[in-house]
Amino acid sequence: MKKVIHIVGARPNFMKVAPIHRAIKARTSLGQLVIHTGQHYDAKMSDVFFADLGLPPPEIHLGIGSGSHAEQTAKMMVEMEKVFLKEKPDLVSVVGDVNSTIAAALVTSKLAIPLSHVEAGLRSFERHQPEEINRVVTDRLSDLLLTPSRDADANLLKEGIDPKHIHLVGNVMIDSLLSSKEKADQLPTLKNLGLEPKGYVVATLHRPSNVDNPKLLAGLLGVLMDVAKELPVVFPVHPRTRKMIAEQGLGPKLEQTPGLKLVDPMGYLEFLSVTSQAKLVMTDSGGLQEETTALNVPCLTMREQTERPITVEVGSNEVVGTDPARIREAANRVLAGDFKKGRVPELWDGRTGERIADLYARFLGVETKRAFG
Ligand code: UD1
């Protein structure tokens, strides 16, 4: 039996792998294994997502955990190589741009195993971001480059990638969003937080370029405190950000701001239940720019660039940089009802997992159970 290995490690991976895993199971006779690197290890950053997304627990857990980039990536590579030599996969499927992705890409290609990259071709053109390095290297090494939008195809072609390796499949994360929306809508999250639909803002911050810089972090948190004077702000705090807030002694000031609700990282369904009803989302996350576009919720991205320009060109996203005055002005505008109405990009239709499963089956010479749909 031909076998696909999926690599997961960090929070944004789980919602991308779940629909692919489900579709491969439903439509093909391929065997599959999920390897969790352990990059994210807190239950709230990992375990809860498997339950929420109906992804079976990983068959293999490498238990790597945190470390410097070199340390974390190298440890993952050493352990993955052992597993790949034993399991002999016919294809390794990686998603996104995290350290687990690049570690798997390097090991897979050095063992001459075919490599597929889901979410290929995204570029922020900011080489100081670890994610950008992970994207560029993973794409360079991949045999199948599966893109979420046409801008990603264009980036790859400009880098000299042979078009026969590029496949526009759509955005797989939106499969998870659409299949979970009904369940999320039934959760009592808003009631528990004392919020009204469209009566609050959701904020997230975790990019090293934002939160590891004390001055920038203080400025961005200052904006959230200001916005909280207008409308309640729900702020699920990423572990990296929590650590920086504590180190900078900013905790008490934040906790004492009425209207600013600092909460632990949320599960997938719980978080979807708050983002889908928010009046505004303020973030530096990549995935959230896409989710708000699919939900048509206004999003302000607190970064200088986005690797997901389709969310700005077509969707409801606006890149507002990191200058507090500019962000505050944009937030006031949205809260006053002046924001752009987006559309949902092509192929963000909930069927990307199926297209990927069929592509893998064709690539590996295995029949699909159902016609390409
Ligand atoms: C990683 C990804 C980033 C992604 C983000 C989503 C890379 C280079 N970055 O960033 O692209 O958007 O995940 O969350 O792969 N920590 C915990 N518990 C955990 C995980 C992390 O406490 O379960 C703490 C550790 O102190 C760790 C720090 O957070 O040092 C950062 O974790 P790490 O996995 O290195 O990167 P993220 O910032 O989470």
Side-chain angles (χ1 to χ4, degrees), residues 10-12 39-42 45 66 69 72 97-99 130-131 134 206-207 238-240 243:
R11 186 169 61 179
Q39 176 173 352
H40 283 175
Y41 43 86
D42 286 357
M45 297 294 286
S66 302
H69 282 266
Q72 190 179 53
D97 55 17
V98 302
N99 284 346
E131 293 83 4
N134 295 346
H206 78 277
R207 291 273 144 208
H238 186 283
R240 174 188 283 279
K243 205 161 65 182

Side-chain angles (χ1 to χ4, degrees), residues 153-265:
D153 293 31
N155 289 336
L156 294 172
L157 293 172
K158 250 186 262 160
E159 289 175 15
I161 305 268
D162 187 334
K164 73 170 189 272
H165 298 304
I166 305 172
H167 304 269
L168 176 66
V169 292
N171 190 330
V172 76
M173 221 175 61
I174 305 308
D175 289 22
S176 282
L177 185 143
L178 295 176
S179 63
S180 306
K181 177 85 174 46
E182 216 178 288
K183 249 193 258 167
D185 285 345
Q186 283 156 20
L187 293 182
T189 325
L190 291 200
K191 217 171 108 209
N192 294 347
L193 288 165
L195 301 169
E196 294 292 328
K198 297 286 163 198
Y200 61 94
V201 174
V202 173
T204 80
L205 278 176
H206 78 277
R207 291 273 144 208
S209 54
N210 279 342
V211 305
D212 292 359
N213 175 337
K215 195 166 159 241
L216 209 52
L217 178 65
L220 296 173
L221 294 173
V223 176
L224 300 187
M225 289 190 275
D226 281 350
V227 172
K229 288 180 198 149
E230 306 291 321
L231 217 57
V233 176
V234 187
F235 180 25
V237 190
H238 186 283
R240 174 188 283 279
T241 313
R242 189 167 288 283
K243 205 161 65 182
M244 288 309 292
I245 288 174
E247 271 175 41
Q248 298 301 316
L250 297 165
K253 210 166 147 199
L254 292 170
E255 304 278 359
Q256 284 155 23
T257 304
L260 185 59
K261 295 173 193 286
L262 268 71
V263 295
D264 282 340

Side-chain angles (χ1 to χ4, degrees), residues 4 6 19-30 32 91 93 118 144 146 169 172 175 351-364 366-370 372:
V4 178
H6 304 273
I20 305 173
H21 190 276
R22 195 164 48 237
I24 288 180
K25 189 169 172 208
R27 296 165 83 87
T28 79
S29 56
L30 291 168
Q32 34 185 358
L91 177 71
S93 178
V118 178
L144 293 173
L146 311 190
V169 292
V172 76
D175 289 22
R351 308 200 64 182
T352 297
E354 295 172 21
R355 288 188 280 271
I356 294 174
D358 290 1
L359 190 65
Y360 286 0
R362 272 207 307 277
F363 182 79
L364 295 171
V366 171
E367 268 183 41
T368 21
K369 289 183 198 158
R370 263 173 259 167
F372 189 82

Side-chain angles (χ1 to χ4, degrees), residues 12 50 53 59 100 108 122 133 178 199 209 229 237 257 278 299 372:
F50 283 82
L53 294 159
E59 279 84 5
S100 304
T108 304
L122 300 186
I133 299 162
L178 295 176
S209 54
K229 288 180 198 149
V237 190
T257 304
C299 177
F372 189 82

Side-chain angles (χ1 to χ4, degrees), residues 17-91:
V17 170
I20 305 173
H21 190 276
R22 195 164 48 237
I24 288 180
K25 189 169 172 208
R27 296 165 83 87
T28 79
S29 56
L30 291 168
Q32 34 185 358
L33 275 183
V34 176
I35 300 183
H36 192 321
T37 63
Q39 176 173 352
H40 283 175
Y41 43 86
D42 286 357
K44 285 180 176 150
M45 297 294 286
S46 175
D47 301 1
V48 62
F49 287 82
F50 283 82
D52 279 0
L53 294 159
L55 182 61
E59 279 84 5
I60 298 169
H61 201 297
L62 304 179
I64 303 299
S66 302
S68 71
H69 282 266
E71 207 181 333
Q72 190 179 53
T73 311
K75 280 188 188 160
M76 288 176 193
M77 288 177 66
V78 171
E79 294 310 313
M80 267 187 226
E81 189 181 50
K82 292 179 199 160
V83 176
F84 291 179
L85 287 171
K86 179 163 173 275
E87 295 292 340
K88 300 186 176 41
D90 298 283
L91 177 71

